[in-house]
């Protein structure tokens, strides 16, 4: 539930950032559109002035009306409006859109704006009365209307028919930066969500691990408690053989618990790089022979070992290497089939490593489980299935092997097929 809350918050934050960034980009886009429209619109009155001025000079020759009187001290827009109004009523002369287009083209080139444009003459309702060309499109960017009549009945309007190259040139840095920000934020969010999933899975595995550990420790503890109570009862005081048997059971179960605790402590030290290994040249043959004898003594099933050691010596800490191989043999026995157990232990040298392999004819390991069996909590994830199948333990063995190999500067790998075999390979570096 806590993880889902963090997920919702993270996704909500991502959506909020995208919305804010999108809003900012939209507002910037609108601001750029307004700026281009205003810059283009600022050129139209000048072009209108030049065009009307030229017409007035031609039409008013010999007339008592002078151009300065037409313009007076009015603003540019008012002057253009006044001149065009007089020229229309007095001389019946209308704006030449072709001549006006030439002036607009020159002015737009000066301010570096797109010169694909259309000039329109419109009425007071905005209806187009005539235009300089047929290039006008629904996406054309229009300026405001500039009146050419004092009664505001007519006006001229400029439309940039393809403003997008200019917009793209001005907005591309912003869009590129925004895209980078979104990609980075998205990558961070995905990483965060994966991290939350991993933490959730790890928490579940820890819970399963704790349950498995408590469950599997409960059996030897129960045996110890029952054995001590039975011995305290005095019922076997006159039966030394039975009494010795119960003492042996209690001692074995206590040693079993102690071994589990020591294994946990060793793994913790290995993980925190606090365990110092005493690496030296050790003989494999006596180590393997000792482990084989112990395995045969502890196993009730018929078991057969095949030993082929081409690498006779390795550079390792004898105690931890022996425990690592012992764990692999124990696993081979635990996950064996009901019939006879076949375990093959081999070794051979390579250029960089002395390789030790432990192969069995057991139930095998699935491809999915092969990816997690060396994790500290890996066995906990599949513990219930294994426990129901009669396998005890909670998966410290293979993690222990992995940690020991890493401490030696080597590694452990697994190859397996369901219902056929499992083969674990230890790579022990030759250098100290």
């Amino acid at each position: 539930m806590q993880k889902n809350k963090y997920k919702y918050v993270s996704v909500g934050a991502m959506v909020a950032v995208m919305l804010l960034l999108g809003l900012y980009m939209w507002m910037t886009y609108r601001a750029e559109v307004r700026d281009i429209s205003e810059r283009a619109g600022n050129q139209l009155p000048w072009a209108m002035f030049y065009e009307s001025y030229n017409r007035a000079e031609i039409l008013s020759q010999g007339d008592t009306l002078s151009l300065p009187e037409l313009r007076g001290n009015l603003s540019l827009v008012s002057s253009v409006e006044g001149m065009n109004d007089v020229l229309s009523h007095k001389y019946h002369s209308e704006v030449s859109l072709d001549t006006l287009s030439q002036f607009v083209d020159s002015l737009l080139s000066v301010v570096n704006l797109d010169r694909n444009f259309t000039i329109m003459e419109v009425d007071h309702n905005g209806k187009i009365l005539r235009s300089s060309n047929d290039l006008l499109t629904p996406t054309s960017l229009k300026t405001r209307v500039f009146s050419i009549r004092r009664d505001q009945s007519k006006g001229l309007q400029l439309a940039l028919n393809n403003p997008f190259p200019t917009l793209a040139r001005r907005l591309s840095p912003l869009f590129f930066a925004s895209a980078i920000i979104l990609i980075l934020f998205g990558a961070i969010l995905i990483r965060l969500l994966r991290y939350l999933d991993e933490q959730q899975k790890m928490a579940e595995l820890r819970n399963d691990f704790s349950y498995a550990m408590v469950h599997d420790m409960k059996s030897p503890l129960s045996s110890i408690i029952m054995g001590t109570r039975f011995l305290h009862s005095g019922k076997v005081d006159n039966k030394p053989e039975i009494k010795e048997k119960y003492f042996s059971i209690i001692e074995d179960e206590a040693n079993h618990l102690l071994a589990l605790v020591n294994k946990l402590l060793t793994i913790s030290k290995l993980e925190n790089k606090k365990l110092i290994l005493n690496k030296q040249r050790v003989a494999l043959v006596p180590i393997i022979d000792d482990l084989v004898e112990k395995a045969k003594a502890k196993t009730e099933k018929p078991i057969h070992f095949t030993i082929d050691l081409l690498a006779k010596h390795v550079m390792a800490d004898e105690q931890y290497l022996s425990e690592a191989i012992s764990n692999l043999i124990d696993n081979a026995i635990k996950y064996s089939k009901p019939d006879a157990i076949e375990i093959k232990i081999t070794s051979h040298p390579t250029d960089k490593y002395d390789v030790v392999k432990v192969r069995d004819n057991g139930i095998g390991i699935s491809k999915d489980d092969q990816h997690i069996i060396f994790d500290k909590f890996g066995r906990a994830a599949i513990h219930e299935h294994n426990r129901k199948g009669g396998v005890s333990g909670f998966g410290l063995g293979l993690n222990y092997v992995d940690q020991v190999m890493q401490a030696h500067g080597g590694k452990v790998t697994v190859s397996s097929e369901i219902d056929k075999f499992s083969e674990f390979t230890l790579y022990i570096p030759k250098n100290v």
Side-chain angles (χ1 to χ4, degrees), residues 226-234 236-237 243 246-247 250:
M226 290 178 61
T228 52
R229 285 179 179 174
F230 194 70
L231 290 173
H232 277 303
S233 68
V236 293
D237 287 347
K243 188 175 182 180
Y246 274 98
F247 276 125
I250 292 172

Side-chain angles (χ1 to χ4, degrees), residues 277-283 313-318 408 432:
L277 298 179
N278 181 24
K279 294 172 67 175
Q280 56 185 346
R281 184 176 174 82
V282 297
H313 296 81
V314 295
M315 292 299 300
D317 185 300
E318 182 175 356
H408 280 79
V432 179

